[in-house]
Amino acid sequence: VMRRNPFGMDICCRKGSRSPLQELYNPTQVSLSNTAILHQIRRDQVTDTCRANSMSSRKRRVLTPNDLKHLVVDEDHEMIYCYVPKVACTNWKRVMMVLTGRGKYSDPMEIPANEAHVSSNLKTLNQYSIPEINHRLKNYMKFLFVREPFERLVSAYRNKFTQKYNTSFHKRYGTKIVRRQRKNATQEALRKGDDVKFEEFVAYLIDPHTQREEPFNEHWQTVYSLCHPCHIHYDLIGKYETLEEDSNYILQLAGVGNYLKFPTYAKSTRTTDEMTTEFFQNISSLHQTQLYEVYKLDFLMFNYSVPSYLKLE
């Protein structure tokens, strides 16, 4: 017996029904309206931070297509997702592939992780014309997910610099960090770059030369710089700390909550607050202060308090 894929017609092309944007701002279900208040508070926090810092960020710059390459578009459900590496972005890309795949995929977890990161599998906003971009920014529901900035940073460090298989990162960034930050580095360390210490990584991030040389890699770039929340009005700001609730709320708004749930999995290797505290123990208070300055807007904008383990100068 052929089972009809629930993602065939229903999940695609929801013409005639309410868009996620309408459902968010004028909820028809009580359960949705309570959550809507929480997201209003998060939106206001971003707006207030942008306003308070607009003086320091000089004049408002115009976004270029290159600024929009992290914004994944789902035409059928009129949604735009700005992905932030190290904030459940692999699973969200998998979900977006189910939503935009017109029945090609039904279970996000059956999509291999590496396939989720193949750029041709998802359409990003920079592939559209300027009028098309403006139309989508105005009419589609835009969302992103954020995480405590230093926890995200430690997670990126652990993934990219302590795993033996990430040789491309060791070659591309590790060798550069060792060359610049390590006195008396061995020839092997300079060649391989596979034993970068967290202290060296931090020193590299706060070095003014680094930012002048090239933009940060997306895994440790600020959310502020990846998703441009002061230029793009995000309707929903999901948090890593409430990942499941926020994700399923978005799927409900999209009208697919009945048959698509955000994948849950207990990851024992997850970077936690305790782990992050440990990593910061060997960082001098001067370097902690300088690093906080780099990520300060992310802390303020998304309402994360200054970590208790920091010794700021």
Side-chain angles (χ1 to χ4, degrees):
V1 181
M2 275 183 66
R3 270 192 322 122
R4 202 171 80 79
N5 182 346
F7 294 98
M9 268 318 289
D10 334 13
I11 202 161
C12 122
C13 339
R14 38 197 312 280
K15 295 289 166 269
S17 57
R18 286 159 59 85
S19 75
L21 210 50
Q22 291 168 323
E23 199 55 68
L24 170 66
Y25 291 108
N26 301 296
T28 48
Q29 298 172 42
V30 181
S31 61
L32 294 181
S33 57
N34 299 338
T35 316
I37 298 164
L38 166 73
H39 286 279
Q40 180 63 57
I41 294 168
R42 291 182 186 172
R43 279 196 298 277
D44 291 345
Q45 176 78 21
V46 171
T47 307
D48 294 346
T49 308
C50 291
R51 201 173 289 137
N53 290 278
S54 62
M55 309 311 291
S56 60
S57 63
R58 299 190 299 281
K59 69 176 183 22
R60 190 187 162 110
R61 67 186 191 83
V62 176
L63 294 180
T64 64
N66 195 43
D67 292 322
L68 306 175
K69 60 178 189 286
H70 273 248
L71 280 78
V72 175
V73 181
D74 172 2
E75 293 288 351
D76 295 331
H77 303 90
E78 301 188 350
M79 299 198 299
I80 294 175
Y81 159 58
C82 183
Y83 70 89
V84 178
K86 306 313 299 170
V87 193
C89 92
T90 305
N91 277 353
W92 254 111
K93 283 181 175 179
R94 285 169 161 145
V95 168
M96 292 300 275
M97 283 172 71
V98 171
L99 289 171
T100 59
R102 307 238 167 156
K104 192 173 164 191
Y105 313 95
S106 59
D107 178 3
M109 291 318 274
E110 281 177 4
I111 301 170
N114 58 340
E115 204 177 310
H117 297 293
V118 174
S119 54
S120 58
N121 282 332
L122 291 165
K123 195 160 184 190
T124 48
L125 197 57
N126 58 341
Q127 296 170 358
Y128 293 84
S129 69
I130 304 287
E132 287 172 333
I133 288 171
N134 289 333
H135 170 77
R136 281 157 185 74
L137 284 175
K138 190 175 160 206
N139 297 293
Y140 286 15
M141 186 176 81
K142 300 166 294 299
F143 67 95
L144 77 163
F145 275 79
V146 299
R147 182 179 187 177
E148 202 279 340
F150 285 171
E151 203 178 283
R152 177 175 166 243
L153 190 66
V154 168
S155 175
Y157 166 77
R158 290 178 63 219
N159 179 250
K160 299 304 169 195
F161 295 107
T162 68
Q163 303 292 339
K164 288 292 172 227
Y165 59 80
N166 265 323
T167 47
S168 61
F169 265 81
H170 304 156
K171 281 261 187 290
R172 169 94 173 76
Y173 296 100
T175 53
K176 186 183 290 187
I177 294 170
V178 170
R179 190 170 67 244
R180 203 183 291 170
Q181 305 300 338
R182 191 180 301 176
K183 292 185 176 71
N184 312 320
T186 64
Q187 281 307 308
E188 190 184 19
L190 289 166
R191 193 180 79 250
K192 284 187 167 173
D194 63 352
D195 64 345
V196 170
K197 297 185 183 67
F198 186 64
E199 299 89 292
E200 295 171 327
F201 179 51
V202 169
Y204 162 78
L205 294 174
I206 58 178
D207 182 349
H209 182 73
T210 303
Q211 294 252 29
R212 282 199 301 270
E213 188 178 54
E214 60 180 344
F216 276 2
N217 176 276
E218 60 176 19
H219 290 84
W220 47 87
Q221 180 59 282
T222 60
V223 177
Y224 172 77
S225 303
L226 287 176
C227 294
H228 315 284
C230 291
H231 297 80
I232 294 171
H233 172 83
Y234 286 93
D235 303 289
L236 281 166
I237 294 137
K239 293 201 159 191
Y240 192 71
E241 295 75 16
T242 49
L243 176 63
E244 247 175 273
E245 303 94 289
D246 293 343
S247 299
N248 288 323
Y249 174 58
I250 290 166
L251 296 174
Q252 252 183 303
L253 291 170
V256 299
N258 293 341
Y259 38 81
L260 179 58
K261 291 277 177 276
F262 192 76
T264 59
Y265 61 105
K267 239 186 151 187
S268 53
T269 58
R270 227 195 85 170
T271 302
T272 59
D273 184 47
E274 295 76 48
M275 212 180 274
T276 305
T277 307
E278 269 176 55
F279 272 91
F280 272 85
Q281 282 190 324
N282 299 330
I283 307 295
S284 71
S285 56
L286 173 63
H287 280 188
Q288 288 187 5
T289 306
Q290 291 172 311
L291 190 69
Y292 179 76
E293 281 304 313
V294 174
Y295 292 93
K296 186 178 178 177
L297 274 179
D298 279 6
F299 275 100
L300 296 174
M301 200 168 274
F302 306 118
N303 206 18
Y304 288 107
S305 50
V306 177
S308 55
Y309 55 77
L310 284 194
K311 309 178 288 283
L312 298 182
E313 293 202 337

